[in-house]
Amino acid sequence: MQLSKAKKFVISLFLALAMLVSASAADVASLIPIGHTVGIQMQADGVLVVHLQDVETGNGASCPARDAGVCEGDLILRVNDAAVSSNDGLQKQVALSGGQPVELTLAREDSTRTVTVTPCADRDGTYRIGVLARDSMAGIGTLTYVDPETGAYGSLGHGVCDSETGVLMPLRAGSLLYSVVGSVQRGKAGEPGALQGEFSPGNPLGTVEENTEYGIFGKLTDSSLYASLESVPVADAEEIRTGPAEIRANVEGDRVQTYSVQVVKVYPKDDVYGRGMLLHVTDPALLKQTGGIVQGM
């Protein structure tokens, strides 16, 4: 598959590859391990507040959102009775207020609350509430496995979080796109490194249906990444042992290769840091290319 001439995105996304998945979680006997990068586009279910900033008015600086109790990491769901799902929608509703108080419906952690904010006019006369918000994200991740019977996939490691607030992006819709690795920022002590990928916004490979602390999940509608691959039996978590293992990854172009590693330690399910296993990379080729496991693998 070739990338189209549409604009390419170059960005890294912090999704780790885990080659083993609990049989009880997957509820299947066999899966296809993939190890290929994909482009990921996600639209938030609301507008995420990533930064509170002062509005410069004719009477000095003010941040109405902060004064009303809005916090970084809050998700703005509604302005008065209007649902908002984009930055443009949020700004439109604030502008329509004409400087009159508006009610913001916010999601924070597991609760919903309402606060009253009074927009102020900046020096250009535009009404603002003093928030820098995000309504979508795009990046590169790695497909861990697919169920060839249903097309259901998992990209394991951790979910897609906002880079500034660390908040798990609430998902409204998402898609997977074909990706290649353009370059590698090698990892070294104190710096995890990263895959740098390219993907086109056209020709989606599938959908993103869940964004969780364990990774993203959805369905592949294009089988090109796994049509020639074979399924392998799924191991139960209790069967995982230390010793020699293999990982699959494409760290150059779109070629997935198999690399040797050692499983040094298997952590309990309730590990306080959410770790699954500790790997020691032993494959000279992977060490030469990446320096070890880097972000995006």
Side-chain angles (χ1 to χ4, degrees), residues 260-282:
S260 60
V261 299
Q262 287 279 334
V263 179
V264 178
K265 183 175 182 178
V266 179
Y267 294 93
K269 292 182 180 179
D270 58 353
D271 178 69
V272 65
Y273 297 108
R275 296 170 296 188
M277 65 183 74
L278 177 64
L279 300 181
H280 176 212
V281 177
T282 57

Side-chain angles (χ1 to χ4, degrees), residues 276-296:
M277 65 183 74
L278 177 64
L279 300 181
H280 176 212
V281 177
T282 57
D283 196 300
L286 184 58
L287 289 171
K288 181 178 180 180
Q289 287 179 292
T290 66
I293 304 293
V294 299
Q295 293 170 346

Side-chain angles (χ1 to χ4, degrees), residues 47-269:
V47 180
L48 185 68
V49 178
V50 298
H51 186 62
L52 297 172
Q53 57 188 14
D54 287 336
V55 179
E56 294 296 333
T57 74
N59 298 318
S62 174
C63 182
R66 183 190 298 117
D67 295 340
V70 177
C71 297
E72 294 176 357
D74 283 349
L75 188 70
I76 301 176
L77 303 175
R78 305 181 72 85
V79 179
N80 292 329
D81 293 326
V84 292
S85 59
S86 68
N87 286 331
D88 288 344
L90 173 62
Q91 295 304 324
K92 178 180 178 180
Q93 293 302 318
V94 171
L96 288 174
S97 73
Q100 296 301 306
V102 296
E103 286 192 346
L104 302 184
T105 302
L106 309 173
R108 182 182 301 171
E109 297 179 344
D110 296 325
S111 63
T112 302
R113 66 193 66 197
T114 300
V115 299
T116 300
V117 182
T118 303
C120 61
D122 64 14
R123 291 177 177 175
D124 295 326
T126 302
Y127 286 104
R128 302 188 183 279
I129 59 174
V131 301
L132 176 64
R134 181 168 293 136
D135 57 22
S136 62
M137 294 183 69
I140 298 295
T142 294
L143 286 179
T144 308
Y145 68 84
V146 66
D147 180 350
E149 298 296 323
T150 64
Y153 74 85
S155 179
L156 301 181
H158 57 77
V160 179
C161 298
D162 174 67
S163 60
E164 296 189 51
T165 65
V167 173
L168 195 68
M169 176 68 79
L171 177 66
R172 176 168 58 89
S175 59
L176 295 186
L177 306 167
Y178 184 74
S179 165
V180 298
V181 176
S183 62
V184 177
Q185 178 185 340
R186 287 175 54 84
K188 57 185 179 180
E191 297 180 17
L195 297 181
Q196 303 294 327
E198 301 177 351
F199 65 90
S200 166
N203 302 318
L205 296 175
T207 60
V208 181
E209 299 175 2
E210 294 183 74
N211 181 32
T212 78
E213 61 181 309
Y214 303 109
I216 66 170
F217 303 88
K219 285 194 175 182
L220 293 178
T221 54
D222 184 326
S223 63
S224 58
L225 292 183
Y226 65 89
S228 62
L229 303 177
E230 296 183 357
S231 299
V232 298
V234 174
D236 187 79
E238 286 69 28
E239 297 180 75
I240 309 304
R241 299 288 183 268
T242 58
E246 294 179 337
I247 61 173
R248 292 182 180 179
N250 69 303
V251 296
E252 182 178 3
D254 65 353
R255 181 185 176 190
V256 176
Q257 299 187 71
T258 300
Y259 300 98
S260 60
V261 299
Q262 287 279 334
V263 179
V264 178
K265 183 175 182 178
V266 179
Y267 294 93
K269 292 182 180 179

